[in-house]
């Protein structure tokens, strides 16, 4: 894919990210810091987010879950549908890719569902001042032992597998669009996971102590 199209996708992602938080109650300063770190997830520094209240971090995480389910997953499904319509009959790797991404989608949706039912429900009780005795250790231990990087795709490896089966898909426009979308989505998920692990969990522990 040429650099112009790649930059277009990144710019469009930044615009969507901006709109996504402007339409919610996410703190404007938190919104700004998120925009910065989304451009380079490796620059993430938990200390930059410690100034925000538990309620503010929780709002961001919950908003992101909804955005993944309502916007990102349908967007990827639509691109994958187009890919299958144009190339699925001629390339075995497209079938492999479709199976992999469908399995990934199921895993991600299950991950979000379990997190909201267990951890987020507990946090909502905390924020509402309700009695949480007996729940803290159970909920936090469940989160610590089940929260991992399984919802992060090895995009480069997946792309290498596709091209190892069908080398002439190298540079194919719709294939490149899909993998660029996946890259942007994974950056978003990576930051989301870092904030959960390095910021949110610490604030939940402090709030429940």
């Amino acid at each position: 894919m040429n650099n112009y199209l790649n930059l277009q996708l990144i710019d469009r992602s930044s615009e969507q990210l901006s709109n996504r938080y402007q339409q919610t109650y996410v703190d404007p300063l938190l919104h700004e810091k998120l925009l910065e770190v989304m451009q380079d997830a490796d620059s993430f520094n938990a200390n930059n987010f410690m100034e925000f209240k538990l309620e503010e971090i929780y709002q961001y995480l919950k908003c992101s879950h909804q955005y993944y389910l309502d916007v990102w997953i349908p967007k990827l499904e639509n691109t994958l549908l187009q890919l299958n319509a144009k190339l699925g009959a001629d390339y075995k790797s497209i079938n492999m890719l479709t199976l992999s991404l469908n399995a990934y989608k199921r895993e991600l949706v299950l991950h979000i569902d379990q997190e909201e039912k267990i951890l987020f429900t507990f946090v909502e009780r905390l924020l509402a001042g309700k009695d949480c005795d007996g729940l803290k250790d159970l909920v936090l231990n469940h989160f610590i032992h089940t929260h991992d990087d399984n919802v992060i795709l090895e995009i480069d490896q997946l792309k290498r597998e596709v091209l190892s089966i069908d080398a002439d898909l190298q540079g194919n426009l719709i294939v490149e669009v899909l993998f660029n979308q996946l890259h942007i989505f994974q950056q978003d998920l990576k930051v989301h996971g870092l904030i959960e692990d390095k910021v949110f969990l610490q604030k939940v522990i402090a709030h429940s102590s």
Side-chain angles (χ1 to χ4, degrees):
M1 170 173 291
N2 60 51
N3 290 334
Y4 174 70
L5 182 53
N6 189 45
L7 287 172
Q8 275 191 318
L9 286 169
I10 293 173
D11 289 343
R12 191 173 301 130
S13 174
S14 296
E15 180 182 352
Q16 290 171 348
L17 185 66
S18 181
N19 291 338
R20 156 180 159 193
Y21 295 125
Q22 286 174 354
Q23 295 169 4
T24 68
Y25 297 104
V26 171
D27 180 274
L29 182 57
L30 175 56
H31 170 204
E32 181 181 332
K33 290 182 179 293
L34 287 166
L35 285 173
E36 291 174 0
V37 77
M38 287 295 180
Q39 303 304 314
D40 180 14
D42 291 333
S43 70
F44 177 83
N45 184 341
N47 291 329
N48 292 334
F49 295 90
M50 288 301 183
E51 65 186 280
F52 301 102
K53 297 177 181 178
L54 173 61
E55 297 93 323
E56 294 168 330
I57 299 297
Y58 171 68
Q59 179 63 29
Y60 149 69
L61 294 172
K62 192 166 181 63
C63 166
S64 292
H65 278 180
Q66 202 61 48
Y67 193 78
Y68 299 155
L69 296 173
D70 293 347
V71 178
W72 259 121
I73 289 177
K75 177 189 293 188
L76 291 167
E77 286 178 325
N78 183 60
T79 304
L80 192 60
L81 186 64
Q82 294 180 50
L83 187 65
N84 272 279
K86 294 182 178 181
L87 304 173
D90 301 318
Y91 295 94
K92 292 181 179 179
S93 63
I94 301 302
N95 294 325
M96 180 275 292
L97 179 61
T98 300
L99 289 172
S100 297
L101 292 181
N102 283 337
Y104 171 71
K105 172 199 166 184
R106 290 192 295 271
E107 185 176 350
L108 177 59
V109 170
L110 178 62
H111 175 93
I112 290 174
D113 182 64
Q114 290 182 339
E115 194 167 275
E116 295 207 345
K117 285 181 177 177
I118 299 174
L119 181 61
F120 283 16
T121 298
F122 172 72
V123 171
E124 286 174 359
R125 289 181 61 87
L126 271 182
L127 294 175
K130 295 182 179 179
D131 181 21
C132 295
D133 288 346
L135 291 176
K136 176 184 173 182
D137 290 343
L138 179 65
V139 169
L140 295 183
N141 284 333
H142 178 272
F143 178 79
I144 291 169
H145 290 102
T146 62
H147 196 257
D148 51 37
D149 292 330
N150 286 341
V151 294
I152 301 298
L153 270 175
E154 294 293 336
I155 301 174
D156 291 339
Q157 179 181 337
L158 186 58
K159 189 173 184 179
R160 283 194 298 270
E161 290 174 358
V162 168
L163 296 178
S164 70
I165 298 171
D166 293 307
D168 56 335
L169 287 177
Q170 177 75 48
N172 180 278
L173 181 61
I174 192 167
V175 172
E176 293 296 325
V177 166
L178 176 63
F179 276 97
N180 269 270
Q181 289 177 339
L182 286 169
H183 173 74
I184 294 168
F185 183 37
Q186 295 305 293
Q187 284 285 100
D188 195 319
L189 281 172
K190 185 175 181 180
V191 171
H192 181 96
L194 286 167
I195 289 180
E196 280 184 334
D197 291 343
K198 308 298 183 182
V199 181
F200 186 59
L201 183 60
Q202 303 308 313
K203 290 184 175 294
V204 171
I205 293 172
H207 197 94
S208 58
S209 297

